């Protein structure tokens, strides 16, 4: 079964850090660009970042540049999102997804930034 | 950034009736290699989005035939020929020809 499973979400204070993980199974993970997409409560979808198959290229939405870092470990079939200097506006469900077509999505992990 | 604009933002449909959602982009989504990078997703309540249509008009695996996509360049449409109760949720269009990837605002479809 093709699957993405996110973990690592939780409650964090403004200015804090969190590392999200996404475990892939059932497909050839190292053949895909991968993305993170977030959805604030009651809002639409916002693409956050993506990473090339070999990790050599990474791109970010402007609002997270310099604060978030996307990485992957193909040996572990895993994708990561290191989030630093978190702000209230980063509160959202974070999904990992296969890039370009976004045909594979995880169930999401909730990140709440609040004091 | 490419802005994706969907209309309408909400739709109330009687079961068995058709529905149509428009999506317009501020730049052409046609790549020089001939592919058009426009996708449609449905997010059912409490679930992640699921791919319905890829590259304008191709139904993804398992997607019912009542869903169809059309359009070109900057102007696209998703049609549901006969809406069923299971089609409720929020529909999004998305472009992936350019970074950042951008989504439409979403169209909420409910059943009358």
């Amino acid at each position: 079964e093709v699957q993405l499973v996110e973990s690592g979400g939780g409650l964090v204070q403004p200015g804090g850090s969190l590392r999200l993980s996404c475990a892939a199974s059932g497909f050839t993970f190292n053949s895909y660009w991968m993305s993170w997409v977030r959805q604030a409560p009651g809002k639409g979808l916002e693409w956050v970042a993506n990473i090339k198959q070999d990790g050599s290229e990474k791109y970010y939405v402007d609002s997270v540049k310099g604060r978030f870092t996307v990485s992957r470990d193909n040996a572990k079939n895993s994708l990561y999102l290191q989030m630093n200097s978190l702000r209230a506006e980063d509160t959202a469900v974070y999904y990992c997804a296969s890039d370009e077509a976004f045909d594979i999505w995880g169930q999401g992990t909730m990140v709440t930034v609040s004091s | 950034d490419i802005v994706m604009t969907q209309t309408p933002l909400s739709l109330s449909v009687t079961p068995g009736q058709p529905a149509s959602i428009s999506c317009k982009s501020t730049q052409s989504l046609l790549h020089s290699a001939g592919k058009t990078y426009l996708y449609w997703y449905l997010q059912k309540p409490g679930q992640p989005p699921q791919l319905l249509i890829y590259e304008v008009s191709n139904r993804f695996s398992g997607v019912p035939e009542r869903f169809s996509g059309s359009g070109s360049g900057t102007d696209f449409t998703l049609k549901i020929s006969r809406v069923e109760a299971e089609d409720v949720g929020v529909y999004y269009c998305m472009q992936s020809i350019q970074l950042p990837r951008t989504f439409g605002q979403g169209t909420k479809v409910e059943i009358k």
Side-chain angles (χ1 to χ4, degrees):
Chain A
E1 180 189 6
V2 172
Q3 200 170 11
L4 291 170
V5 179
E6 302 93 338
S7 60
L11 174 62
V12 61
Q13 292 188 340
S17 297
L18 217 50
R19 188 194 194 209
L20 305 183
S21 298
C22 170
S25 59
F27 65 101
T28 310
F29 179 73
N30 60 14
S31 295
Y32 285 78
W33 280 76
M34 294 295 295
S35 269
W36 287 97
V37 176
R38 66 184 178 184
Q39 186 169 36
K43 302 297 184 182
L45 301 168
E46 179 184 36
W47 176 83
V48 173
N50 68 355
I51 183 169
K52 195 176 179 180
Q53 290 93 330
D54 62 0
S56 61
E57 295 181 39
K58 305 174 184 181
Y59 300 94
Y60 303 90
V61 69
D62 284 348
S63 59
V64 308
K65 281 179 184 174
R67 300 188 300 123
F68 289 13
T69 302
V70 60
S71 62
R72 65 192 297 161
D73 184 338
N74 288 337
K76 295 182 177 179
N77 286 338
S78 292
L79 177 71
Y80 306 101
L81 186 66
Q82 177 66 44
M83 304 186 295
N84 298 332
S85 302
L86 282 162
R87 307 167 180 167
E89 54 264 35
D90 295 319
T91 294
V93 174
Y94 285 74
Y95 297 101
C96 59
S98 56
D99 195 88
E100 195 180 286
F102 293 80
D103 52 327
I104 309 169
W105 293 75
Q107 288 296 314
T109 187
M110 182 71 205
V111 172
T112 303
V113 184
S114 174
S115 54
Chain B
D1 297 1
I2 296 175
V3 177
M4 307 294 286
T5 302
Q6 291 181 227
T7 54
L9 297 184
S10 65
L11 211 45
S12 184
V13 188
T14 301
Q17 292 301 301
S20 179
I21 301 169
S22 169
C23 175
K24 296 182 189 295
S25 58
T26 53
Q27 297 177 37
S28 175
L29 304 185
L30 173 63
H31 191 272
S32 55
K35 190 160 97 170
T36 301
Y37 289 77
L38 185 281
Y39 303 81
W40 289 98
Y41 303 86
L42 166 59
Q43 187 174 31
K44 297 183 178 182
Q47 294 185 21
Q50 59 189 78
L51 177 64
L52 293 176
I53 302 287
Y54 65 95
E55 297 167 24
V56 180
S57 59
N58 299 286
R59 272 188 305 277
F60 188 55
S61 176
V63 174
E65 290 185 3
R66 63 180 180 275
F67 290 93
S68 64
S70 62
S72 62
T74 62
D75 205 336
F76 306 94
T77 302
L78 175 71
K79 292 183 179 177
I80 310 173
S81 58
R82 289 175 300 279
V83 172
E84 298 188 4
E86 66 181 24
D87 301 335
V88 298
V90 181
Y91 291 77
Y92 296 93
C93 59
M94 187 214 68
Q95 65 79 21
S96 61
I97 193 172
Q98 188 183 103
L99 291 167
R101 312 302 193 208
T102 47
F103 293 86
Q105 318 94 301
T107 296
K108 186 173 184 178
V109 172
E110 63 175 23
I111 300 297
K112 279 184 184 175

